[in-house]
Amino acid sequence: MEEMGAFVFTSLTRAVGIGANSYLLEVEGRRVVLDAGLHPRLEGEEALPQWGGLGEDSVDAVVVTHAHQDHVGALPVLLRRQRRASVFMTEATLAMGEVMLHNSVNVMLKRRDEGIGGAPLFTHREVDLQARRWTKAPLRQRFSLEGERLGPEEEEPSIEFHDAGHILGSAGTLIRSGGRTLLYTGDVNFADQSLMQAARFPEHSVDVLVIEATRGDRATPEGFSREAEERRLAESIGAVFERGGCVVMPLFALGKTQEMLALFHQFRRRGWLGMDCPIYIGGLGAKLTQVHDRLASQTPRQYPGLQLLDQVAPYVVGGQEARSLPMKRGRIYALSSGMMTEKTVSNTVASLMLSDPLHALFFVGYADPESPAGRVRSAAHGSMVELSAQLPSQPLRCQVEAFQLSGHASRENIREYVNRVRPGKVVLVHGDEPAVDWFRTTLSADLPGSAVMVAQPGVSLEL
């Protein structure tokens, strides 16, 4: 019989790494699925987590930590099989999750029509119907697996959201059972960004910590400060403009686009960027920025009253316009996708300037090494680069620069937090193998009395 308060954790991902995030937590005979992501580089069933062993209607609750596709993108498929499960997320995740899932349907339909993918995994109607089941859960409020609000001493197991500081609405999930606690961080950032404030996680000890390992493979440079990095970005933009070029910044439509708009707003206020500098964003980025503006005074963030679309006034670029955009001096094209996936606006625009030394391609966030963005970042200047199978390879002659403005916590900040809460068990998720290995080695040395484990696909960990 399962011990009261014991947790059994199973990774439902297909591989160790960053992809379709989803995890099963079993506690006191109840089953909770943490996140329901879609792998951004795979197609059809291969892009889904491994849900085959769950069984129909076997899940009591689903928690969605934030609205990025690798955490919410397969939710309609999961809920089709788990019709009785309660579904919890923050208000901002609910609002942006609908936008992201409808956009995903549009992308799947377009790819099907182009003969690239098969039938869409779900439909617009399915998204609309299932969204009625989603429950908005406020931060720092305990609630049962049925969604009832609980007092501090009421029944368990219980769920409680804490601001994760990653993107608008992102939340870590604290689960209590039988006097024991498990904290699943989701994607987290322990430092202030341009728009988002640093995570506000529990500072008391936790029994089990399930934590992301995204940036475990890179150390923060000695003497690094975000303000200096922002200044370096502003000066680099100015240098490109001075020589007669423009800047292309591949960005995730959700989170990074809004962070950069807030940063450009700061640059203008500081006199680092001219008020007349045209800034272009994509259509999905504009839709999600509307949600940010609507919730500007209701969620933890910097500049709570800032209306990004009004005060930054970016131009919106549709997919049909991308190939005809003029690569003129003094313009910033802050376009999705952040990984420059084929047939996205950033991929198309990058193809127009990749071989021109006047222009620059600036990266400010994560890029899968196997994505077009990853290939460009690792390519030698002057080498041939393939942005798309539909386009010929091009020589890389534009300036390529990366800036450390990630929405994920640095490995040093994660290490510091783990040492503060001193969990008895640490489970590492959401990281490529070198990143996971660094955390496993380092945290095992830091906490010799704690077990540090890597969540292997399909393997259940009795915690």
Side-chain angles (χ1 to χ4, degrees), residues 119-236:
L121 293 169
F122 48 89
T123 66
H124 288 298
R125 177 171 171 75
E126 207 166 5
V127 174
D128 288 335
L129 290 174
Q130 290 187 4
R132 300 174 188 174
R133 294 173 54 187
W134 303 353
T135 300
K136 293 184 290 188
L139 298 175
R140 298 180 299 280
Q141 169 64 58
R142 286 179 61 189
F143 50 94
S144 71
L145 299 191
E146 289 72 38
E148 298 175 358
R149 294 199 180 197
L150 302 175
E153 304 300 328
E154 291 191 67
E155 66 179 84
E156 296 176 337
S158 69
I159 295 173
E160 182 180 317
F161 283 155
H162 292 264
D163 184 24
H166 173 58
I167 64 170
L168 193 70
S170 60
T173 307
L174 182 67
I175 298 176
R176 292 184 174 90
S177 174
R180 287 169 52 80
T181 53
L182 178 147
L183 176 62
Y184 168 55
T185 67
D187 292 359
V188 62
N189 197 339
F190 291 109
D192 287 339
Q193 301 183 64
S194 305
L195 193 63
M196 295 303 304
Q197 296 178 351
R200 299 177 184 179
F201 272 6
E203 292 295 330
H204 55 72
S205 63
V206 295
D207 296 296
V208 181
L209 179 64
V210 182
I211 193 162
E212 67 144 309
T214 308
R215 296 179 66 194
D217 60 347
R218 69 209 76 173
T220 301
E222 190 72 29
F224 172 85
S225 75
R226 185 180 174 93
E227 184 175 0
E229 193 73 347
E230 291 174 354
R231 184 68 184 248
R232 184 170 77 90
L233 173 59
E235 290 174 350
S236 298

Side-chain angles (χ1 to χ4, degrees), residues 99-100 103 253-254 258 281-289 316-317 336:
V99 175
M100 293 294 285
N103 181 73
L254 172 54
Q258 294 75 36
I281 64 173
L284 179 59
K287 285 182 183 178
L288 293 162
T289 304
V316 179
V317 178
S336 59

Side-chain angles (χ1 to χ4, degrees), residues 27 47 52 64 70 73 78 88 114 133 161 167 185 218 239 270 274 287-288 294 303 320 325 339 401 405 421 427:
V27 55
V64 178
D70 61 332
L78 177 65
F88 303 107
E114 293 170 346
R133 294 173 54 187
F161 283 155
I167 64 170
T185 67
R218 69 209 76 173
R270 296 171 184 169
K287 285 182 183 178
L288 293 162
R294 176 162 58 82
Y303 309 107
Q320 301 293 330
L325 282 175
M339 297 195 199
E401 196 83 34
L405 298 172
V421 299
V427 181

